[in-house]
C-alpha cells in the first residue's frame, strides 16, 4: 500500500458546522474546512467539539473521534466535508447533538485512503456507517473519474436503509430484517456479484464481522480486496501506537498504515476492541 | 518570566516545553504533516519513544481505554530494537530542529548498559532518559519504585557514557523524593516524572480486563494532581533539574509545573488531542507573563 | 449473584456495600435526615471515620479541591480522640442498624496499640480497620507503603485484640500485593484499598498550594482505574477478603470491584454527590443480575 | 445556635426546573420540590443537573453546589423553590444554563438557618447573591409573621441593583459604582442604621469581606448578629468535614453547624478559599 500523498495541516483547526441532519439513527454532519487539502477517499479526520467535549455519565468523551469523510465539495471559503455517523457512545452522541454554526476542532486528513486500481472494475461494499468512505470512493470513481462502480450496501433495518437514500448513491441493498432489498447480509450480494466478477477489486468498509466475511470470500475467490478497518484511536497521526491491528507483517498502526489494508495482509479483520 | 530559554545539560533550549516519551512520534508526524512540522516543531527538545536492546512488537490490542479526563494505555514499548534504531531512526531524528533525548529501557542492567554504551558517544544525542517506570512491561515499574534499585541502575549506566542521564521515576511510591535523591546521588543529571500510573479497565461486555496487556498506564488531566504533588516534593529534595509532566494540557498547567519546581515541562497525552499541543501550551504559557502580576 | 448476603468476620452482612472511612458521618446524617436514615441505612456495615488516641482539630481550610472526575481532600483526621469517642460516639454508633467497624490510626505503634486495646473487647465493634495510609498526616502513608512496616504494625496489634483486623493499604506502591501479603502473614483478617492518592492543587489566584494541608488525597472516579488494578492484584495474592474501593459510583463500578476479587465494596466520594449512594449502588448492582447473562 | 428542626428527605431527589429568568449577571431559577419539607430561612440545598453535570474545560463540575433558597411557595404538586445565583464558575454556569423542564437533582434542606429573635427589630444585610437567604428571611418576617424588618442591600453596580427589584423586597440600596442608592458599601447603610438601633439584631449574608465588616461593626456596637457564611462544600450534610471554618470553639462544619453563625463565635468572617 502506498503512503497517503495528502499531508494534513499541522495541529487541529476550527471547522464550523454548516448543517446537521438526522435520519433514523444516522446523522449527516457537514463542516466547513477552510484550511485543509482535498482528502483522498478512505481518509479520515479526528473530530471534537470546541465546547462541551466531555460531560457524559463517566465524563467522556475526552479524546477526539475518528470519522471518515463521506463527501467533499468545494464551496465558498473552503471544503465542505460531510460526515456520516451513528451515535453509539459519548463521542458520537456529542457530535450528533451539534447545532448549526457550532465549532468543531478537526485534525486531518489522516491515513492512507483507498488505492484505487483503475485497471479492474470496482465493487464497493458497505455496512452501516461504513458507508461513509464508500460514498467518498464512489464519488471519486463516478464524479471525478467519470467511471462506473458497483455499490453494495448492508443495513440493519429499513429505517437505516431509507436514511441513506439521502446520499443518492445507486446501490444494491441488503437489510438484516428484510425490510428492503435482499433479506440478509450484504455479503450474499457480494457473493453473487463475484460469481462473474473475478476481474474486479473489492473495496469495503463496515463492521468487523462483515469485513471478515468479505475478506474470506475474496481470499477464496482470489479477488483483491481493500478493507477500511476500525480500531480505537487516541491520536490519528501515529503518535500513540494505540490503534494497532495484527497483520501478516506484525502490528500495523491503523491510523498511518491504514485504515485501508489489503485483505491479503490480514489473517482476520476481527480485532478485539474494534467496532461495536 | 515563563516560557523563555532554558539552560540545561550544557545546552540552551529555546523554551521549557518538551514531549513525554512515547507520546509523539516525530518521524510519523513528519510523514503526516510534511515540512510544516519542522517549521513549527512544538518541542524544545525531542524525547524518543523508549527503545530496548531487542525489537519488541508491543502488547496485543486493545491498547487504549478512554477515561473522563485521560486514558489508560497498554502499548508495551513496541520498538524496532537498538540496531535498527541506530540505522534507521537516529539519522532521521538528527534532522529534527530540536536536540534529541533518547529514552532507553532494559530488562536487566546489562541490557540497559549495552544500549547506553552503543549510543553513548553519538553526537546526535543530547541526553538519555532511563525509563525505570513503565507499567506496561512485567518488570517495568519495579526498579523505579525502589530507591536502592534506581541508584544501582543509575550507577551502572553512569560508567558507560559521558552524556547526561535523566532518570524517569516511578509514580508508585509514597516517597518519590527518596527515589529522586537516590538517582541524584548515583549520578543522574536530571529526573523526570511522572510516568503513567498503573491502572486497569474492565471489558464492558462483561468480565476480564479490557486491555490486551491486562493492566495499563493512566495519563492525562486525571493524574495531574498526583504529578504536581510528586514534582513539588522531588524538586524540593534534589539539586538536579526536574522534568515535570503528567496531565499538562494548557499554559496554566505548564506554569503550575514550573512553579512546583520543574525546569522543563513534558506534554504527553494532550498531544493526542491536539498535534500542535506543545506549540499552543508554550504560547499560552508566555501569555501568562502578561497576567503574572496577579501572582502572590 | 451480585448484591446478596456476605459472610465475613464470622458475621453475615446483608449485602456487600459498605462506606469508605471518613466519607459518611452516620451521626451527623441521622441529625440531618432523621429516622429515615435508620430505615434506609445504606451500608451493610458502617466504617467510622478514623480516630486517634488524642483529639485532632484536622487541617486548616481550604480542605477541598474539586476535579473533573473527583476531588482532593486535606481533611487531616479531625476527631475527638479515643476517650470522647468511647464516651459519646460508641453508644450512638451501637444503635445503627449495621455492624460497626472502627477505623484507627496512630502516630506510633504504641499509640495505635493503646487505642486498639482500649476498644478491643467492646461488643459494639465488629472489627477494626487500621488506617496505614492517610496522606493527610505527616507519617500517614509511610507505614502503609512498606511491607515490613505494615507487617510490624499489624503483628503488634494482632496481640491486642481478638477482633478481626482490616489493614487499609497504601496505594503508593508498585507492589500492593506484597504489602497485602505482609499484612496477611502478620495476622490481618482482611485488607481494604485504596485509600486516597497523594495529590496537590495550586491556588488559582497564583502560586502556592490551595489546600490548607499543603497536599491532599485524591478520590472519586478519577482514581478508579488505579483502584481496580490494585484490588485485582491484591485479591490474586492473598487468601483473606479484600474490601475494594476507589471511585465506585454506580452498580456497574461495584460489580467491577467484585469481579476484580473484592468481597465487599466501599463507597466513598460518591456519598457526597448522593447521600443515599450506597442504597442506589446496591440496587443497581442487583439489577445487573438480570443482565448478567451478557457476561462472558 | 439551635440545630435545624427541619430534617431533609434522605438522598437526592429529582426536581424539575419550572422557570428560569436571567437579569444581568443574575439568574432566578425556580424548581419544583415535590417531596421536601418547607425549609427554614437560611437553609440551603445541594444542587446538580441530572444530565451534563461536568464537561467544563477541566471536566468540572463534579460535586453538587450549595445554594440557599431565596423564596419558597406552596404550589400544586409541592414547593416551588427560588434560587438566586450568579455564574462564577462551572457549577453555577451549568445551573444558569438550565432550560425550563430540565431535571435537577437536589438534596436538602440542609444547615441551621437563621434563628430569628422576635424580641429585637431585625436588620437584614445582603451583598450580591448573599441576598438569597435574606429574601427568605424577609419573607418569613413580613409574610409569615406579619412583622417589619429593615433590609439593606449592597450591589456591585446598577445592573445588579436593577436585577434584584424582581424580588419586590423593600430595601435600602448601596452600589459600589454609585449608580443606585448610596455610593459605596452596604456597611455604610448599616452603620447609619445602627446609630439608633442598638436594640436590633443583624442578619447578614454576602461576600466574606462584607460579612467581616458587619461582624466587626456589630461587635463594636455590641449588637448581636447572625452571619450566613460560605465555604467550599462537597456534601452539605456533615459527611466530608471539608467545609470547616474556624470559630472561637474550634473548627465548625459550616453545613451542619452553620451556615449561619453568631458573630461572636467568629474571630473573622474571612476564611481562605471561601467566596469569590
Ligand atoms: C478510521 C476510522 C474511521 C471511522 N469512520 C466513521 C464514520 O465515518 N462514521 C462513524 O459513525 N464512525 C466511524 N468510525 C468509528 C467511530 O470512530 C467510533 O464509533 C467512535 O469513536 C465511537 O466513539 P463513542 O464515544 O461514540 O463510543 P465509545 O464509547 O468510544 O465506544 C466505542 C467502543 O469502545 C468501547 N468502550 C466503551 N467504553 C470505553 C471506554 N471508556 N474507553 C474506551 N473504549 C470504550 C466499547 O467497546 C464501545 O463499543 C471510524 C473509526 C475509524 C478508526
Ligand atoms: C451555604 C451556601 C449557600 C450558598 N448560596 C448561594 C446562593 O444562594 N447563590 C449563589 O449564587 N451562590 C451561593 N453559594 C455559593 C455557591 O455555592 C458557589 O458560588 C458555587 O459553589 C461556585 O461553584 P462554581 O462551580 O460556579 O465555581 P467554582 O469553580 O467552584 O468556584 C468557586 C471558587 O473555588 C475556587 N476554585 C477554582 N477552581 C477550583 C477547583 N478546581 N476546585 C475547587 N475550588 C476551585 C476558586 O476560588 C473559585 O472562586 C452558597 C454557598 C454556600 C456554602
Ligand atoms: C500512549 C502512551 C505511551 C507512552 N510511552 C512511553 C514510553 O515509551 N516511555 C516512557 O518513558 N513514557 C511513556 N509514556 C508516559 C509519558 O511519557 C508521560 O510520562 C505520561 O503519559 C504522563 O504525562 P501525560 O499525562 O501528559 O500523558 C507514554 C504515555 C502514553 C499515554
Ligand atoms: C473527604 C474524605 C475523607 C476521608 N477520610 C478517611 C479517613 O478518615 N480514614 C480512611 O481510612 N480513609 C479516609 N478516606 C478515604 C476513603 O475511605 C476511600 O478510601 C477513598 O476516598 C477512595 O474511595 P472513593 O474514591 O470512593 O472516595 C477519606 C476520603 C475522603 C474523600
Ligand atoms: S491512533 Fe495513535 S498511533 Fe494510531
Ligand atoms: S460540606 Fe461536607 S461536611 Fe460540610
Amino acid at each position: 500500500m502506498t503512503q497517503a500523498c495528502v499531508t494534513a495541516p499541522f495541529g487541529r483547526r476550527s471547522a464550523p458546522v454548516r448543517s446537521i441532519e438526522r435520519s433514523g439513527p444516522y446523522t449527516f454532519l457537514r463542516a466547513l474546512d477552510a484550511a485543509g487539502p482535498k482528502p483522498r477517499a478512505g481518509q479520515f479526520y479526528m473530530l471534537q467539539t470546541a465546547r462541551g467535549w466531555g460531560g457524559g455519565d463517566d465524563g467522556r468523551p475526552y479524546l477526539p473521534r475518528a470519522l471518515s469523510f463521506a463527501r467533499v465539495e468545494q464551496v465558498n471559503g473552503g471544503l465542505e466535508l460531510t460526515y456520516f455517523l451513528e451515535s453509539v457512545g459519548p463521542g458520537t452522541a456529542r457530535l450528533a447533538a451539534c447545532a448549526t454554526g457550532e465549532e468543531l476542532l478537526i485534525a486531518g486528513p489522516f491515513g492512507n485512503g483507498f488505492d484505487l486500481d483503475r485497471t479492474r472494475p470496482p465493487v464497493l461494499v458497505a455496512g452501516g456507517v461504513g458507508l461513509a468512505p464508500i460514498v467518498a470512493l464512489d464519488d471519486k470513481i463516478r464524479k471525478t473519474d467519470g467511471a462506473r462502480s458497483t455499490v453494495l450496501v448492508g443495513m440493519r433495518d429499513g429505517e437505516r436503509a431509507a436514511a441513506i437514500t439521502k446520499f443518492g448513491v445507486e446501490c444494491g441493498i441488503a437489510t438484516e430484517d428484510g425490510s428492503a432489498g435482499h433479506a440478509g447480509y450484504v455479503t450474499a450480494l457480494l457473493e453473487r456479484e463475484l460469481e462473474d466478477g473475478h476481474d474486479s477489486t473489492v473495496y469495503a468498509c463496515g463492521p468487523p464481522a462483515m469485513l471478515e466475511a468479505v475478506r474470506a470470500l475474496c481470499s477464496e475467490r482470489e479477488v483483491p480486496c481493500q478493507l477500511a478497518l476500525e480500531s480505537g484511536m487516541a491520536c490519528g497521526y501515529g503518535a500513540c501506537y494505540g490503534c494497532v491491528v495484527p497483520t501478516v507483517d506484525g502490528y500495523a498502526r491503523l491510523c498511518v498504515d491504514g485504515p485501508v489494508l489489503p485483505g491479503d495482509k490480514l489473517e482476520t479483520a476481527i480485532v478485539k476492541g474494534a467496532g461495536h | 518570566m515563563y516560557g523563555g530559554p532554558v539552560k540545561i545539560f550544557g545546552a540552551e533550549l529555546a523554551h521549557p516545553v518538551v514531549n513525554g516519551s512515547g507520546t509523539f512520534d516525530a518521524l510519523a508526524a513528519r510523514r503526516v504533516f510534511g515540512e510544516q512540522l519542522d517549521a513549527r516543531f512544538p518541542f524544545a527538545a525531542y524525547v524518543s519513544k523508549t527503545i530496548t536492546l531487542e525489537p519488541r512488537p508491543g502488547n496485543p490490542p486493545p491498547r487504549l481505554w478512554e477515561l473522563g479526563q485521560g486514558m489508560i494505555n497498554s502499548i508495551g514499548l513496541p520498538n524496532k530494537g537498538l540496531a535498527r534504531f541506530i540505522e534507521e531512526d537516529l539519522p532521521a531524528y538528527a534532522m529534527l530542529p530540536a536536540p534529541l533525548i533518547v529514552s532507553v529501557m532494559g530488562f536487566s542492567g546489562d541490557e540497559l548498559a549495552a544500549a547506553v554504551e552503543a549510543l553513548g558517544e553519538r553526537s546526535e544525542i543530547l541526553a538519555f532518559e532511563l525509563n525505570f517506570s513503565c507499567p506496561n512491561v512485567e518488570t517495568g515499574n519495579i526498579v523505579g519504585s525502589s530507591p536502592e534499585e534506581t541508584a544501582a541502575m543509575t550507577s551502572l549506566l553512569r560508567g558507560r557514557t559521558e552524556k547526561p542521564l535523566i532518570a524517569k521515576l516511578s509514580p508508585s511510591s509514597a516517597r518519590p523524593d527518596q527515589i529522586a535523591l537516590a538517582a541524584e546521588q548515583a549520578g543522574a543529571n536530571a529526573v523526570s516524572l511522572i510516568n503513567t500510573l498503573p491502572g486497569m479497565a474492565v471489558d464492558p461486555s462483561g468480565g476480564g480486563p479490557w486491555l490486551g496487556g491486562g493492566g495499563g498506564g493512566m495519563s492525562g488531566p486525571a493524574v495531574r494532581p498526583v504529578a504536581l504533588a510528586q514534582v513539588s516534593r522531588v524538586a524540593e529534595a534534589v539539586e538536579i533539574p526536574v522534568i515535570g509532566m503528567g496531565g499538562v494540557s494548557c499554559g496554566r498547567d505548564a506554569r503550575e509545573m514550573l512553579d512546583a519546581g520543574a525546569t522543563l515541562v513534558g506534554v504527553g497525552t494532550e498531544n493526542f488531542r491536539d498535534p500542535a499541543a506543545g506549540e499552543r501550551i508554550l504560547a499560552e504559557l508566555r501569555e501568562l507573563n502578561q497576567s503574572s502580576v496577579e501572582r502572590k
Side-chain angles (χ1 to χ4, degrees), chain B residues 16-287:
Chain B
V17 180
V18 301
N19 65 301
S21 170
T23 65
F24 194 86
D25 179 335
L27 306 183
R30 198 198 258 146
R31 284 201 303 278
V32 171
F33 298 115
E35 288 175 6
Q36 311 154 75
L37 182 70
D38 295 318
R40 289 168 56 191
F41 197 76
F43 306 112
Y46 176 73
V47 186
S48 79
K49 178 149 186 73
T50 301
I51 60 161
T52 52
L53 198 57
E54 301 301 327
R56 289 175 55 82
N59 287 335
R63 291 181 172 181
L64 302 174
W65 179 258
E66 186 185 52
L67 304 172
Q69 288 282 300
M71 56 181 280
I72 315 178
N73 84 77
S74 129
I75 308 297
L77 302 187
N79 77 97
K80 38 177 80 163
L82 181 68
R84 282 182 59 206
F85 174 83
I86 293 177
E87 203 181 300
E88 297 166 17
D89 292 356
L90 202 50
Y93 282 139
M95 289 164 63
L96 292 178
L100 177 66
I101 295 169
V102 174
S103 169
V104 289
M105 197 266 180
F107 294 86
S108 67
D110 288 347
E111 244 186 75
L112 241 181
V116 167
E117 220 156 29
L119 294 166
E121 306 205 340
R122 301 292 301 229
S123 62
E124 299 93 332
I125 299 173
L126 172 66
F128 292 103
E129 184 170 78
L130 311 172
N131 183 353
F132 290 152
S133 45
C134 178
N136 283 323
V137 295
E138 209 37 50
T139 55
N141 200 16
I142 308 298
V143 168
S145 61
S146 145
E148 296 74 27
E149 300 204 38
T150 298
M153 277 293 203
T154 308
S155 295
L156 177 69
L157 301 169
R158 183 64 295 166
R160 312 297 169 109
T161 179
E162 304 278 290
K163 289 198 193 288
L165 297 177
I166 307 162
K168 188 155 181 182
L169 307 180
S170 167
S172 303
S173 166
R175 297 299 304 271
D177 48 338
Q178 290 185 344
I179 305 177
L181 270 172
E184 179 176 43
Q185 281 154 13
N189 305 85
V191 292
S192 61
L193 67 162
I194 63 170
N195 209 322
T196 56
L197 287 182
M200 179 185 153
V202 175
D203 187 339
S205 73
W210 168 260
L211 293 167
M218 203 169 125
S219 64
V223 308
R224 200 167 71 86
V226 174
L228 275 173
Q230 298 203 0
V231 166
S232 82
R233 193 155 182 177
V234 164
E236 259 176 44
V238 298
E239 303 282 326
I240 51 177
V242 173
I243 307 178
M245 70 191 100
V248 172
S249 66
C250 64
R252 178 183 276 259
D253 296 347
R255 182 172 94 174
E256 291 187 0
M257 277 292 171
L258 295 170
D259 287 349
T263 298
L264 300 177
V265 178
V267 175
T269 304
E270 186 67 5
N271 294 316
F272 306 155
R273 288 163 38 103
D274 178 3
E279 184 186 58
R280 173 175 52 79
I281 289 167
L282 176 65
E284 289 166 354
L285 180 64
R286 286 179 172 159
E287 250 168 56

Side-chain angles (χ1 to χ4, degrees), chain A residues 168-276:
Chain A
V169 168
E170 232 175 86
C171 61
I173 280 272
T175 52
E176 289 175 41
D177 69 352
S179 57
H182 168 79
Y185 291 124
V186 67
T187 37
L189 301 185
L190 177 62
E191 204 161 354
R192 217 179 291 159
E193 183 66 31
L194 292 188
E195 252 148 46
D196 38 32
H198 274 269
D199 59 342
S200 27
T201 295
V202 171
Y203 305 86
C205 185
M210 180 204 106
L211 290 183
E212 174 52 15
V214 170
R215 189 199 61 78
L217 189 67
C218 291
S219 150
E220 197 189 299
R221 305 283 164 101
E222 295 185 352
V223 171
C225 70
Q226 296 184 21
L227 308 176
L229 272 69
E230 242 191 57
S231 76
M233 292 187 173
C235 71
Y237 65 98
C240 74
Y241 282 77
C243 61
V244 295
V245 298
T247 73
V248 295
D249 306 324
Y251 290 130
R253 278 176 291 181
L254 203 66
C255 66
V256 287
D257 301 328
V260 180
L261 295 176
D264 58 12
K265 290 282 181 204
L266 295 172
E267 262 147 30
T268 171
I270 296 178
V271 181
K272 182 164 180 262
H276 283 273

Side-chain angles (χ1 to χ4, degrees), chain A residues 17 20 22 29 49 93-100 102-104:
Chain A
V17 174
I20 180 156
R22 297 169 193 91
L29 179 67
T49 55
R94 177 65 187 89
L95 289 170
C98 275
T100 302
E102 194 173 340
E103 188 187 350
L104 300 177

